[in-house]
Amino acid sequence: TASKCDCTLKLMFLSFGTWAVDKGNFKTCEQSAFCKRQRALKPGESPYRALLETMELTNTRLTLQLINDNNKVRLLLELYRLQGNITRVKINELKPLKPRYEVPDVLIREPTTEPLSVLSQDENGVVLSLGVESQRVIISARPFRLDIMEGSDVLMSLNSRGLLAFEHLRMRKDTQADPEAEKKEEADPTTKEEEEKVEDGMWEETFKSHTDSKPNGPSAVSLDFSLPGVEHVYGIPEHADTLRLKTTDNGDPYRLYNLDVFQYELYNPMALYGSVPVMVAHSAQRTTGIFWLNAAETWVDISSNTGSSETPQTDVRWISESGIIDIFIMLGPTPKDVFSQYASLTGTQSFPPLASLGYHQCRWNYNDQEDVKSVDAGFDEHDIPYDFIWLDIEHTDGKRYFTWDPHKFATPKEMLQGLMDKKRKMVAIVDPHIKVDGNYKIHNEIRSRGFYVKNKDGGDYEGWCWPGSASYPDFTRADMRAWWASMFAYDQYEGTMENLYTWNDMNEPSVFNGPEVTMHKDATHGAWEHRDIHNLYGLYVQMATAEGLIQRSGGVERPFVLTRAFFAGSQRLGAVWTGDNAAEWGHLKISIPMCLSMGLVGISFCGADIGGFFKSPSTELLVRWYQAGAYQPFYRAHAHVDTPRREPWLFGPENTALIREAVRQRYTLLPYWYQLFYRAHVTGEPVMRPLWVEYPQDLATFALEDEYLIGRDLLVHPVVEEGARGVTAYLPGKDEVWFDVHTFQKHNGAQNLYIPVTMSSIPVFQRGGSIIPRKLRVRRSSTCMEHDPYTLYVALNLQRTADGELYIDDGHTFNYEKKEFIYRKLTFANKVLSSVNLAPDAKFTTDSWIERIIVLGASKPSKVTLKTADGQEKQLEFDFDASMSVLTVRKPGMNAGADWTMTFQ
Amino acid sequence: WLLVCLLLKLFSAVEVQRPRGVPLSKRQFYEEGKPFTCLDGSRTIPFDRVNDDYCDCQDGSDEPGTAACPNGSFHCTNAGFRPTFIPSSRINDGICDCCDTTDEYNSGATCQNTCRELGRKERESLQKMAEIAKEGFLLKQQLIHEANRGLEDKKAKLGDVQGSKKDLEAKVEALRTVKEAAEQPEREAKERHLKAWEGKLSFKSISPSTVCNDVSVPELLSHSELDPDADGSFTEAEAQGLLGGVDKVDTAAFESIWSNVKEKYMSEVRHYTSFFFLINSKFHVKFILFNFGFGICFRNLEKEISFDFGPSSEFAYLYSQCYELTTSEYIYRLCPFNRVTQKPKFGGSETNLGSWGKWAGPEDSIYSVMKYEHGTGCWQGPSRSTTVKLTCGKETVVTSTSEPSRCEYLMEFTCPAICQEPPNLEISSHEHQEL
């Protein structure tokens, strides 16, 4: 759904006809008091000193006090060695005036610690062993500084620039305070040292017409990190910016503050709908990561000495408005190590139902049941597969979620049954803003249970959103989430059936009349301010919703929930999309780095609105977007209510055919997508990944963002330029070969390959050395293809070997957790292709069989023999295309779950 | 077993033997036991590879009865209904597509044979449609007749009007001379002359009633300059207000109404220069519109005659009519060849969903779709427009409205004028017997 447009915006658009975001609605660092304050600090003047005599070391934890020599406030530093080459550093006030917020529910469990030991110690510092290899932490006392070393190399330094800052909680002492007390303190010179300048914005801050009352005063935290040898840093989504993060010296820092940004602009560090405070640093030698676990408004400054003659180094600085410093330093050393380290902390991508990897047809709005029916029929008429049709806010009874419009959607079950009869599904939106209406059950229940977020005066917080006046459930409360989840039960959420899934929009939360279109920071969630939890709100909404979908099925079915707002850990809950983009080529292009950035920090199930949400795409743009989207994880077309219809068949038969072909390519590859999501679920590896993840030493790949890999084996370089006649794809790997998946033409790696393109071209290459399963019998939905046979695409490398996997389960339940799946390793070596069980203790049977094997880069055999598990052998027929060196084995026919070997003599 | 055998025999006697999914028209290409050549001629394969669930032909012709080929098609005989082709991908996908259930022979789906029922329903509806078409077509003949007569009248009337216009222009010229003459002399003389020609000016002698019938709301609406509050949207309510709260008035009544309201439109007279007289009296400029109704009628007649009312003017009867449909939220109003409007049922102002644009049907039936364009603008969007789809019916009535895209409306409209001569029913009943 669109974000709002307020009246001033509307006027601006009318008068200037521009489409850009109104930047004036959102704060710059300069306009955000704590960011301004913190950024004003100069490096090299750290007032912090480690009090080594306070050090305590248990088997798993080191604690140490730090003192700020300017104000004598003491901090407590905790240092942990965590399993899997992770170091955790926590810094809090030793004795805060009241507790400071520590982010719950993001870590999947209390991380397992490993022993630490002191290697040496003197008055200047302490050297600790990190257990593995030659890794050490050096704690320097004056000023306080942490260096993580491996051998003689510094991997990362903390407070090396002296920008650690920790605004301690304090009593208010400005003009409003008791004048007597002030006098008293003036008279006492010993307390003078602790006096700090009261700056504007410490106790109150006004932005546009909104005043933030800040009852707790200043509470920001900040720390700098130096990354020697690093020139490339990535991550900290969500920003509409390049994959490789830019230095921020000459502008604003990257901002992490979940916001509903109306018509966002490309290539700038403004905050968007979601925040994952994780940065990945990469060099040819090593990959590391920093996870800054803080849910308050956060700014990240990046600077680099690139261009100078020194050893390259990137310096990073994190600034958050409240909470504590709690960081996880993931030491790699490989990209995949960093992924698994981060996954060990916050979990992996949820394993989506297979159908949700198919194509999704959405629009704000499909008007009524008749409309849904005719769009559904349109897909059949034009023979285009799809799995989900979506309903936006207009399906509800007056924007009251969990209800249906009594006229337009009078018989939702009938509609859902109609879709179910075609093995298709639906998603209906449920947003977290609840209409304030005494006749609305959901509102009355939440209010009477006291579940709403409170305003600073203790009443239920009210804001303006789609329904008009709305309140916001306090999703940070576990009891609220449990109640919310129970609302998805079939007997509560009337008119629903098992093929109805959910979409959480506006969960930043979006508050049309709030500061920066979101909630007031001084609103309260129990003991905490909204300021403390802001970036976590959206995650909690999705968490409660996903739990509802699980519960309604008695824990059997996997949920599917799409969210716009997200945080670290959101990967466990479902899919994310890049919000309200626009029908512009630039937005198509940026969908790649935006989703790659999310994948690097765990969120694999990412996609952008196909066609662009705002405005109306040209036919060429729409077709190109369908083609690009077919090779991105979450594949959904969506459109603003004010745009003309754009169902795939509305642009003439030629374009319908182009779109059909793109969608069909997606469906043939569903087995591959599905097993990659299984892998992502098990390992935390991204499904859609930058080339450098697989070619970490190849500098040419480090900044690539116009092409990427799906898994390890498919390289995609979509056409994202208007009027393109060709693209230049970089094919990595000096000893690799790549096969064009459409022509089977072989290309050498480590080259820039110019590929001429027409409107039907989607440049995709399969890596030599890989085996990819496909289902070529594309039907009207993924569910219809369940029992269909596989074709294995075996692409040989220069060593004439290849390997791959085949994962099969029921596609929609949690039974895979009970080992009900097939997981096989496919290997081609020494002219023998074989299928070996990777999970002998798992049980599942499938009707699917192997109908065809296509060997790319093959030589002609004299015979092909299949040997099945029962020892029987049979000769197989085959076709050999000498011009392309493609061998097609006809109908081997073995079951996809069986052991077999195939010999090419 | 004997029974089964017998049944099979019986079955094969009815069904012409051919591979699954092959239409009768192509059975000669699939000869049992003989090598099969793909229908595109690309290769020849042993017959046992036809329908063996593996795609050998690039054109999919070797697998008419399985889902093996991505581009294949399956023929359902659908005895009792219409035979049809479905894409091969719908074979054994668990969804019943052929009414004779033949597409789901191995999926476990339980399909009911619905061909007879469908056939019956189709015949019923065809028959009903044929009846409607027949009656509609008769009505259409009447409409054509009336339209032709009306057209003659109007042409004649236009001739009259043109004559009157000439007279009028002559008078205007004469009066202008008088006026100019009146401006020359001294003030006293001016006033005297003025009185003299004002006396000559007889409303009755060139009354609109001599050339025109009624003045109605839709006519007024086409004169946006008459908008009383000049806010850019001249609504029906406002037009009604001008006419004293009714939809139309005869010209005599209009004249009296007009004398009350004309003052309001003084500033707009530039549109009517030829029908206005400038009187300069005591140095005050004063305009008198003496025959506004005449102006409207003259131009309307011209416009009406110029409309494309269909090949035989069968749509002429829709002109200056309006048809309403009330939905749960709105009252929609279609005034053919004029405009489409929408008004909230429970108060609120009316919105223009488009003014008459053009016939916009496909080339072979251009009169099946009307397009109304340039309605009230949408924020960040186009101006509202309405597509009206015409279908044959005895009644002239708006049957449904929808808004598929924001500000793009779709209206279904039945009327006899679109009815085609029904096909000979005898032929269709003959077909029926064959089935």
Side-chain angles (χ1 to χ4, degrees):
Chain A
T1 309
S3 46
K4 68 132 187 189
C5 93
D6 66 26
C7 290
T8 54
L9 273 175
K10 210 166 184 173
L11 279 175
M12 196 194 88
F13 290 127
L14 287 178
S15 49
F16 301 109
T18 66
W19 275 91
V21 63
D22 184 356
K23 285 189 177 171
N25 280 342
F26 302 101
K27 288 183 185 176
T28 60
C29 178
E30 188 73 15
Q31 290 166 319
S32 182
F34 78 94
C35 188
K36 181 182 178 185
R37 231 163 35 229
Q38 294 292 318
R39 226 187 178 199
L41 295 181
K42 299 266 177 318
E45 296 171 5
S46 180
Y48 287 96
R49 183 159 53 89
L51 302 171
L52 296 179
E53 65 279 12
T54 64
M55 186 174 85
E56 286 176 35
L57 180 67
T58 66
N59 196 24
T60 59
R61 183 174 95 142
L62 175 140
T63 60
L64 182 68
Q65 291 179 21
L66 307 179
I67 188 162
N68 179 335
D69 279 328
N70 291 344
N71 61 14
K72 303 296 178 221
V73 174
R74 289 189 181 202
L75 305 178
L76 180 70
L77 174 129
E78 298 169 71
L79 193 143
Y80 303 85
R81 177 72 194 157
L82 303 183
Q83 201 172 61
N85 208 10
I86 303 167
T87 300
R88 180 181 194 176
V89 177
K90 265 174 101 164
I91 303 174
N92 196 350
E93 289 180 57
L94 182 65
K95 289 177 184 159
L97 212 53
K98 59 195 240 186
R100 298 181 66 121
Y101 189 68
E102 299 188 33
V103 177
D105 301 313
V106 166
L107 301 181
I108 46 173
R109 64 180 81 87
E110 197 49 45
T112 314
T113 53
E114 286 184 344
L116 280 166
S117 59
V118 174
L119 290 175
S120 67
Q121 182 176 4
D122 60 20
E123 72 277 13
N124 295 321
V126 183
V127 181
L128 295 165
S129 165
L130 286 177
V132 273
E133 294 170 26
S134 52
Q135 284 185 4
R136 309 181 304 288
V137 178
I138 300 172
I139 304 174
S140 308
R142 187 190 294 263
F144 162 70
R145 169 182 171 134
L146 271 180
D147 291 280
I148 298 172
M149 312 276 297
E150 187 175 280
S152 58
D153 295 333
V154 179
L155 301 182
M156 196 181 294
S157 307
L158 279 63
N159 201 34
S160 51
R161 286 190 296 154
L163 295 170
L164 167 64
F166 209 106
E167 294 179 336
H168 61 285
L169 299 179
R170 63 201 79 182
M171 300 300 287
R172 189 165 187 172
K173 288 175 189 164
D174 63 4
T175 48
Q176 287 172 0
D178 176 12
E180 287 295 309
E182 235 172 88
K183 263 183 214 157
K184 220 188 283 171
E185 289 194 9
E186 262 172 52
D188 181 359
T190 57
T191 59
K192 189 73 183 166
E193 201 172 24
E194 287 189 28
E195 278 299 304
E196 285 184 61
K197 213 172 78 192
V198 175
E199 290 176 43
D200 276 354
M202 276 189 165
W203 294 93
E204 191 176 273
E205 179 173 352
T206 299
F207 178 67
K208 301 191 94 174
S209 60
H210 299 284
T211 298
D212 174 4
S213 66
K214 294 196 172 180
N216 296 324
S219 58
V221 296
S222 157
L223 181 60
D224 68 275
F225 301 76
S226 292
L227 302 159
V230 170
E231 291 182 88
H232 293 81
V233 288
Y234 308 92
I236 54 166
E238 181 176 17
H239 299 100
D241 208 346
T242 50
L243 173 64
R244 179 194 180 183
L245 299 170
K246 293 171 182 147
T247 59
T248 57
D249 300 323
N250 299 318
D252 255 15
Y254 283 98
R255 188 183 190 201
L256 294 172
Y257 191 58
N258 294 357
L259 291 175
D260 179 359
V261 181
F262 184 71
Q263 292 177 343
Y264 61 80
E265 218 178 73
L266 307 184
Y267 303 109
N268 72 47
M270 286 175 73
L272 287 178
Y273 313 94
S275 303
V276 183
V278 175
M279 183 182 283
V280 178
H282 178 70
S283 72
Q285 286 72 44
R286 180 180 279 272
T287 311
T288 58
I290 300 168
F291 172 26
W292 173 271
L293 180 51
N294 187 305
E297 179 184 344
T298 297
W299 298 78
V300 185
D301 254 323
I302 299 168
S303 57
S304 152
N305 64 356
T306 303
S308 74
S309 55
E310 303 162 54
T311 325
Q313 174 167 318
T314 297
D315 293 312
V316 180
R317 185 181 182 204
W318 299 71
I319 306 168
S320 289
E321 187 177 12
S322 67
I324 64 162
I325 293 174
D326 190 1
I327 49 178
F328 298 81
I329 298 163
M330 300 172 284
L331 290 171
T334 70
K336 285 178 190 173
D337 290 331
V338 172
F339 302 143
S340 77
Q341 284 154 4
Y342 180 61
S344 75
L345 299 170
T346 66
T348 60
Q349 175 65 53
S350 65
F351 190 24
L354 173 57
S356 65
L357 297 175
Y359 172 66
H360 300 258
Q361 181 66 38
C362 187
R363 172 175 181 83
W364 175 23
N365 213 101
Y366 285 120
N367 294 331
D368 49 29
Q369 289 180 211
E370 199 50 49
D371 199 359
V372 168
K373 206 170 171 177
S374 81
V375 171
D376 175 74
F379 278 91
D380 285 341
E381 189 188 335
H382 298 92
D383 200 17
I384 300 172
Y386 89 95
D387 273 83
F388 283 81
I389 187 165
W390 291 53
L391 296 180
D392 208 323
I393 52 173
E394 313 298 335
H395 83 278
T396 59
D397 181 7
K399 318 295 188 299
R400 293 170 186 86
Y401 304 105
F402 302 99
T403 71
W404 303 85
D405 183 297
H407 303 290
K408 297 168 183 162
F409 294 91
T411 53
K413 278 193 179 175
E414 208 171 276
M415 168 178 67
L416 289 166
Q417 186 61 51
L419 292 169
M420 195 179 283
D421 290 345
K422 292 214 193 142
K423 304 195 177 182
R424 286 172 178 154
K425 305 171 202 311
M426 174 170 264
V427 171
I429 199 164
V430 174
D431 287 351
H433 49 258
I434 302 299
K435 186 178 174 75
V436 175
D437 170 5
N439 294 317
Y440 178 27
K441 185 187 87 176
I442 297 282
H443 164 70
N444 289 337
E445 289 254 344
I446 298 173
R447 192 177 51 180
S448 68
R449 289 164 194 255
F451 280 161
Y452 277 130
V453 174
K454 301 292 185 284
N455 60 36
K456 67 176 174 15
D457 304 317
D460 285 348
Y461 180 91
E462 274 188 43
W464 201 260
C465 208
W466 296 124
S469 190
S471 283
Y472 294 74
D474 187 356
F475 284 91
T476 67
R477 291 176 62 160
D479 53 354
M480 158 60 209
R481 294 198 301 275
W483 176 84
W484 179 267
S486 74
M487 288 300 102
F488 288 86
Y490 297 119
D491 59 348
Q492 290 291 334
Y493 188 171
E494 280 172 41
T496 64
M497 303 196 339
E498 59 268 35
N499 64 338
L500 182 74
Y501 296 79
T502 311
W503 169 18
N504 293 148
D505 196 356
M506 314 298 278
N507 52 340
E508 294 74 24
S510 178
V511 181
F512 291 166
N513 58 343
E516 302 191 84
V517 202
T518 192
M519 191 171 276
H520 293 72
K521 284 175 171 170
D522 53 12
T524 60
H525 303 254
W528 304 111
E529 283 190 285
H530 185 68
R531 182 186 333 276
D532 302 313
I533 68 97
H534 176 83
N535 285 345
L536 210 48
Y537 189 84
L539 173 141
Y540 276 132
V541 174
Q542 193 187 17
M543 185 185 277
T545 304
E547 187 55 35
L549 296 193
I550 295 171
Q551 276 178 21
R552 70 172 187 181
S553 74
V556 173
E557 297 287 329
R558 286 177 239 164
F560 171 75
V561 180
L562 178 72
T563 184
R564 194 170 70 181
F566 54 88
F567 190 67
S570 288
Q571 71 270 18
R572 306 193 299 263
L573 306 170
V576 169
W577 94 107
T578 60
D580 299 341
N581 61 359
E584 293 168 1
W585 289 91
H587 276 268
L588 165 58
K589 204 170 175 174
I590 203 113
S591 66
I592 303 170
M594 286 181 82
C595 281
L596 286 174
S597 298
M598 278 194 233
L600 288 174
V601 298
I603 299 174
S604 268
F605 205 1
C606 168
D609 285 346
I610 303 301
F613 177 70
F614 290 113
K615 301 177 74 182
S616 200
S618 68
T619 304
E620 184 189 357
L621 175 58
L622 185 68
V623 168
R624 289 301 190 199
W625 214 319
Y626 267 100
Q627 293 174 336
Y631 290 89
Q632 289 181 12
F634 177 55
Y635 191 21
R636 183 187 73 151
H638 188 32
H640 190 278
V641 66
D642 286 338
T643 61
R645 287 279 176 142
R646 53 168 101 135
E647 283 71 44
W649 48 86
L650 295 176
F651 305 88
E654 267 179 48
N655 294 301
T656 305
L658 290 170
I659 293 171
R660 177 191 301 122
E661 174 55 25
V663 178
R664 288 176 68 104
Q665 285 184 29
R666 168 61 166 231
Y667 275 76
T668 65
L669 272 170
L670 284 178
Y672 183 63
W673 281 106
Y674 192 55
Q675 70 195 36
L676 286 173
F677 268 92
Y678 178 71
R679 291 275 307 168
H681 176 61
V682 173
T683 67
E685 284 170 22
V687 169
M688 174 180 176
R689 53 186 81 151
L691 267 62
W692 61 260
V693 168
E694 295 296 336
Y695 300 89
Q697 264 114 52
D698 185 349
L699 268 69
T701 64
F702 289 6
L704 283 184
E705 60 175 26
D706 55 357
E707 62 179 83
Y708 57 92
L709 295 166
I710 301 172
R712 193 179 47 147
D713 300 332
L714 278 186
L715 185 150
V716 185
H717 190 308
V719 182
V720 295
E721 304 279 351
E722 185 169 20
R725 311 186 117 191
V727 299
T728 301
Y730 177 71
L731 301 180
K734 122 173 150 292
D735 304 315
E736 303 259 36
V737 290
W738 294 87
F739 293 89
D740 183 313
V741 300
H742 310 295
T743 63
F744 300 145
Q745 169 108 40
K746 184 162 90 176
H747 302 282
N748 290 323
Q751 66 155 326
N752 283 303
L753 179 70
Y754 179 79
I755 306 138
V757 299
T758 64
M759 267 320 286
S760 65
S761 308
I762 317 176
V764 180
F765 300 87
Q766 183 177 345
R767 189 178 58 84
S770 66
I771 302 176
I772 292 181
R774 294 190 188 221
K775 284 188 173 182
L776 299 186
R777 304 183 179 190
V778 175
R779 302 192 188 246
R780 69 184 118 196
S781 73
S782 67
T783 311
C784 291
M785 296 162 65
E786 186 184 354
H787 307 297
D788 282 340
Y790 290 88
T791 294
L792 303 180
Y793 285 76
V794 181
L796 299 183
N797 57 19
L798 296 174
Q799 292 74 46
R800 311 193 73 70
T801 64
D803 59 68
E805 291 174 354
L806 180 59
Y807 176 86
I808 305 171
D809 65 13
D810 65 21
H812 59 95
T813 72
F814 283 108
N815 292 346
Y816 71 91
E817 290 179 343
K818 296 184 267 174
K819 295 264 169 192
E820 290 183 24
F821 58 79
I822 291 165
Y823 195 25
R824 306 197 69 81
K825 175 98 180 165
L826 306 168
T827 314
F828 187 99
N830 303 318
K831 297 187 175 179
V832 176
L833 176 63
S834 61
S835 171
V836 178
N837 199 345
L838 273 176
D841 55 338
K843 277 202 284 278
F844 188 72
T845 54
T846 177
D847 291 343
S848 296
W849 47 285
I850 311 293
E851 71 167 329
R852 189 184 291 102
I853 286 162
I854 296 178
V855 187
L856 309 178
S859 43
K860 188 178 182 177
S862 55
K863 63 175 180 179
V864 178
T865 315
L866 174 70
K867 189 173 173 184
T868 41
D870 55 9
Q872 294 212 326
E873 291 197 8
K874 72 170 176 180
Q875 298 274 93
L876 299 173
E877 226 179 280
F878 59 87
D879 240 4
F880 185 73
D881 175 352
S883 67
M884 280 292 166
S885 302
V886 176
L887 175 71
T888 305
V889 179
R890 185 187 193 278
K891 210 182 175 189
M894 59 286 195
N895 185 280
D899 288 333
W900 49 268
T901 57
M902 193 179 290
T903 312
F904 300 78
Q905 280 165 313
Chain B
W1 189 85
L2 208 75
L3 192 74
V4 173
C5 197
L6 212 76
L7 275 172
L8 274 175
K9 238 182 176 162
L10 204 75
F11 184 70
S12 57
V14 177
E15 275 285 292
V16 181
Q17 202 62 55
R18 57 188 194 268
R20 197 195 297 271
V22 174
L24 262 179
S25 61
K26 286 185 181 158
R27 109 193 115 173
Q28 71 271 22
F29 303 120
Y30 297 83
E31 234 181 300
E32 181 81 46
K34 293 199 176 155
F36 171 75
T37 301
C38 306
L39 298 186
D40 62 1
S42 57
R43 62 190 292 196
T44 299
I45 55 172
F47 191 79
D48 62 8
R49 297 208 169 162
V50 171
N51 280 345
D52 72 337
D53 206 14
Y54 183 87
C55 192
D56 292 287
C57 296
Q58 286 205 332
D59 67 353
S61 58
D62 63 315
E63 297 294 318
T66 79
C69 292
N71 53 347
S73 61
F74 176 87
H75 183 261
C76 337
T77 309
N78 289 347
F81 188 52
R82 238 179 304 119
T84 186
F85 287 94
I86 60 166
S88 293
S89 63
R90 293 180 196 170
I91 299 168
N92 291 327
D93 66 349
I95 300 162
C96 309
D97 290 287
C98 300
C99 65
D100 64 4
T101 78
T102 51
D103 60 316
E104 296 301 314
Y105 58 86
N106 194 24
S107 68
T110 46
C111 301
Q112 304 291 319
N113 188 322
T114 55
C115 291
R116 271 173 208 292
E117 181 62 13
L118 285 172
R120 190 181 57 77
K121 278 193 186 148
E122 188 185 52
R123 281 190 299 278
E124 277 174 14
S125 96
L126 278 176
Q127 205 156 0
K128 209 169 160 190
M129 273 165 59
E131 275 163 31
I132 289 170
K134 195 175 156 190
E135 286 178 56
F137 191 70
L138 281 176
L139 282 170
K140 180 178 172 178
Q141 300 313 311
Q142 250 169 289
L143 290 173
I144 290 170
H145 183 69
E146 280 165 23
N148 288 338
R149 214 171 45 203
L151 194 66
E152 292 304 310
D153 286 358
K154 274 163 194 153
K155 276 186 180 152
K157 208 175 265 181
L158 187 66
D160 289 353
V161 174
Q162 273 161 342
S164 308
K165 188 182 165 199
K166 272 201 189 109
D167 285 355
L168 187 63
E169 277 163 357
K171 273 181 187 157
V172 166
E173 202 38 56
L175 287 169
R176 180 169 291 139
T177 315
V178 172
K179 186 187 73 121
E180 276 161 11
E183 280 165 357
Q184 291 297 330
E186 297 299 304
R187 184 183 292 181
E188 306 93 308
K190 208 189 283 176
E191 280 173 5
R192 197 176 61 236
H193 279 283
L194 205 59
K195 273 189 188 128
W197 75 252
E198 268 184 343
K200 283 180 205 161
L201 192 78
S202 161
F203 274 74
K204 275 274 176 269
S205 65
I206 43 171
S207 156
S209 56
T210 59
V211 291
C212 189
N213 302 320
D214 298 335
V215 178
S216 68
V217 167
E219 279 174 317
L220 281 186
L221 284 175
S222 59
H223 292 269
S224 59
E225 69 280 0
L226 297 179
D227 183 9
D229 54 9
D231 64 349
S233 93
F234 185 30
T235 67
E236 213 156 291
E238 286 170 338
Q240 265 180 0
L242 290 182
L243 296 183
V246 293
D247 277 346
K248 60 169 106 166
V249 294
D250 62 27
T251 32
F254 181 72
E255 272 170 31
S256 66
I257 289 163
W258 178 249
S259 63
N260 292 330
V261 296
K262 63 187 174 188
E263 290 289 333
K264 289 184 182 171
Y265 311 114
M266 290 307 177
S267 60
E268 295 294 339
V269 293
R270 62 184 180 280
H271 297 285
Y272 295 93
T273 328
S274 58
F275 303 105
F276 283 87
F277 288 87
L278 181 71
I279 294 173
N280 190 340
S281 172
K282 296 181 180 176
F283 305 107
H284 289 279
V285 176
K286 190 177 173 192
F287 299 97
I288 294 175
L289 174 68
F290 78 95
N291 198 350
F292 174 76
F294 177 87
I296 288 177
C297 291
F298 173 68
R299 287 169 347 133
N300 280 356
L301 269 177
E302 237 180 13
K303 197 165 143 196
E304 192 175 342
I305 287 165
S306 72
F307 270 117
D308 177 1
F309 287 134
S312 315
S313 300
E314 61 269 40
F315 296 101
Y317 80 105
L318 299 173
Y319 187 78
S320 78
Q321 300 296 312
C322 290
Y323 304 90
E324 280 188 358
L325 179 74
T326 304
T327 67
S328 59
E329 283 174 87
Y330 296 102
I331 300 163
Y332 290 88
R333 190 154 200 232
L334 166 65
C335 304
F337 305 103
N338 184 1
R339 61 182 210 153
V340 182
T341 58
Q342 175 201 53
K343 193 175 172 180
K345 212 159 137 188
F346 308 105
S349 62
E350 188 181 75
T351 307
N352 182 355
L353 305 186
S355 301
W356 167 248
K358 57 180 186 277
W359 291 106
E363 244 171 72
D364 56 338
S365 57
I366 188 143
Y367 297 100
S368 63
V369 176
M370 287 172 156
K371 190 86 188 164
Y372 293 80
E373 300 157 324
H374 311 300
T376 312
C378 282
W379 180 68
Q380 286 203 344
S383 56
R384 287 171 175 78
S385 65
T386 304
T387 301
V388 179
K389 285 192 177 164
L390 283 74
T391 49
C392 169
K394 286 181 280 183
E395 313 278 323
T396 302
V397 58
V398 177
T399 56
S400 79
T401 64
S402 58
E403 189 183 358
S405 293
R406 176 66 60 95
C407 304
E408 288 178 19
Y409 295 81
L410 181 67
M411 213 169 233
E412 309 260 356
F413 184 55
T414 67
C415 67
I418 187 75
C419 295
Q420 299 298 314
E421 188 159 18
N424 196 331
L425 277 173
E426 265 178 64
I427 292 167
S428 71
S429 71
H430 181 67
E431 262 178 358
H432 166 200
Q433 273 167 3
E434 201 180 42
L435 280 175

